[in-house]
Amino acid sequence: MAEDVPRRQPTLEAVAERAGVSRSVASRVLNNAPHVSRAKREAVERAVRQLGYVPNPTARALATRQTGAAALVVAGEDPSIFADPFFAQVIVGASAALEEADLHLMLCLAASDRGRERVEELLRAKGADGVMLMALREGDPLARTAEEAKMPVVFGGRPVGSAPRWFVDVDNAGGAREATEYLLSQGRTRVATICGRLDTEVGRARYRGYRDAMLAAGLEPRPPWEGDFTEPGGAAAMAALLANHPEVNGVFAANDNMAAGALRTLREAGRTVPADVAVVGFDDLTVARIADPPLTTVHQPITALGREMARMLVALINGQDPTPLILPTRLVIRSSA
């Protein structure tokens, strides 16, 4: 007579699969945590009964430390940054993905020294189940703190001089290269760029894309005229560019806000767009569609950026090991170039 094979105890993953929820939701139900819908709670409880699941005491103790929230941290200087259309779209995407996992979204701004200290405390004390970190500048100590944190951290974009294990980014250099190549294809041989902050990886990557396109065409790249990703910054950079290089007949601006500022300066200087100077931006925000003239720009999937960051974070919270992700861009041709 064959020996009886010991019955394998069902796992939390099996409970989650039977209930049709994520592992983190199943864990919160078993630990009577808040912020779980009644339908999902009942589905998990039903799966527990059907499978005969018995929680592991050690795992249960660890699970009770979950907060039911994930944080989006932006290392900006202005509290109004969350009203910027770019970050607003990131929030929409991240919030939708976290809602699917029954996680609440916390917004944190690391603007002041105190704000940065609070974020560091959150990372060290596990004040959230995970963190998404964006807009880091060169030398920001938050990058090191995040990499050393004993909690899941996903970077939105890569910090300067660092290669985080988990990040979601867009093809910044490729998009900038395509924008510059388009200007050159239109017969614009005197092309300059208004770049973003060069102490950020996104600013550097978009300048690299411009430079690579110019070199490939046998033309000398012009030095970057640095803006700060804002409309006033773009207007000021365009004014300086005209004063120093009035012969310029094409401009790639590293985001739509700066491109809109450049359009304003060109209009005030009596330059016609695109007849005198063609302008291309980056982002494909609403301002690109309502600009005068409507702005040719590089579309990046901003809402998808937020969504994929959140999905990657949820995967980490659930014990998975996702791979980094780089999202594609595409050129949208309108009237400015």
Side-chain angles (χ1 to χ4, degrees):
M1 183 174 179
E3 294 182 3
D4 292 336
V5 177
R7 182 173 178 268
R8 185 179 178 184
Q9 290 296 321
T11 63
L12 180 59
E13 287 77 8
V15 171
E17 183 178 0
R18 174 68 66 92
V21 300
S22 69
R23 185 183 187 280
S24 62
V25 170
S27 176
R28 291 206 298 279
V29 171
L30 293 173
N31 290 287
N32 201 30
H35 313 310
V36 180
S37 69
R38 181 177 178 180
K40 290 183 179 180
R41 189 176 295 278
E42 291 176 349
V44 171
E45 291 170 349
R46 184 165 53 251
V48 167
R49 292 193 301 270
Q50 292 172 348
L51 295 173
Y53 173 75
V54 178
N56 178 286
T58 302
R60 185 182 183 93
L62 290 172
T64 57
R65 298 179 62 187
Q66 291 187 335
T67 67
L72 173 62
V73 176
V74 177
E77 297 176 342
D78 184 353
S80 67
I81 195 168
F82 286 121
D84 183 291
F86 175 86
F87 287 104
Q89 289 186 42
V90 169
I91 291 169
V92 168
S95 180
L98 292 176
E99 185 176 349
E100 293 175 358
D102 277 351
L103 288 170
H104 284 270
L105 176 63
M106 300 166 50
L107 299 178
C108 304
L109 182 66
S112 63
D113 289 341
R114 178 55 186 150
R116 191 172 289 104
E117 289 172 2
R118 292 178 65 183
V119 172
E120 289 177 348
E121 290 171 5
L122 180 145
L123 288 165
R124 293 192 181 106
K126 295 194 67 174
D129 293 340
V131 169
M132 296 166 284
L133 193 54
M134 297 190 72
L136 288 177
R137 287 156 63 178
E138 186 175 17
D140 194 320
L142 277 180
R144 179 180 294 274
T145 305
E147 291 177 355
E148 295 173 351
K150 298 184 184 304
M151 65 186 301
V153 177
V154 171
F155 287 80
R158 286 158 286 183
V160 173
S162 178
R165 185 171 178 182
W166 298 291
F167 67 85
V168 180
D169 206 349
V170 299
D171 186 8
N172 290 298
R177 184 172 58 249
E178 185 178 13
T180 308
E181 288 172 346
Y182 176 74
L183 285 167
L184 296 172
S185 74
Q186 301 302 299
R188 311 292 173 150
T189 57
R190 301 185 298 276
V191 179
T193 180
I194 299 174
C195 67
R197 302 189 68 115
L198 291 176
D199 59 356
T200 65
E201 178 58 29
V202 63
R204 294 184 182 188
R206 292 180 188 176
Y207 179 69
R208 287 198 302 271
Y210 157 81
R211 181 198 61 201
D212 291 348
M214 294 291 284
L215 290 172
L219 299 171
E220 185 67 25
R222 294 169 183 260
W225 291 85
E226 187 172 349
D228 57 2
F229 290 119
T230 67
E231 193 271 352
M238 189 71 243
L241 183 55
L242 287 178
N244 288 273
H245 300 283
E247 75 283 1
V248 163
N249 63 4
V251 173
F252 164 59
N255 80 341
D256 289 343
N257 292 330
M258 293 192 299
L263 291 178
R264 174 164 62 87
T265 294
L266 289 167
R267 185 166 53 249
E268 292 171 353
R271 302 291 185 97
T272 301
V273 177
D276 297 327
V277 183
V279 178
V280 177
F282 200 116
D283 284 340
D284 199 18
L285 300 174
T286 300
V287 66
R289 296 189 288 275
I290 66 175
D292 182 19
L295 191 63
T296 293
T297 187
V298 177
H299 173 88
Q300 64 163 320
I302 304 172
T303 302
L305 174 66
R307 182 175 63 248
E308 295 304 326
M309 286 169 56
R311 286 179 174 173
M312 185 175 291
L313 187 65
V314 170
L316 287 170
I317 292 171
N318 290 336
Q320 301 170 31
D321 187 13
T323 57
L325 180 62
I326 297 180
L327 302 173
T329 62
R330 58 182 172 84
L331 188 67
V332 178
I333 299 174
R334 298 193 179 98
S335 304
S336 69

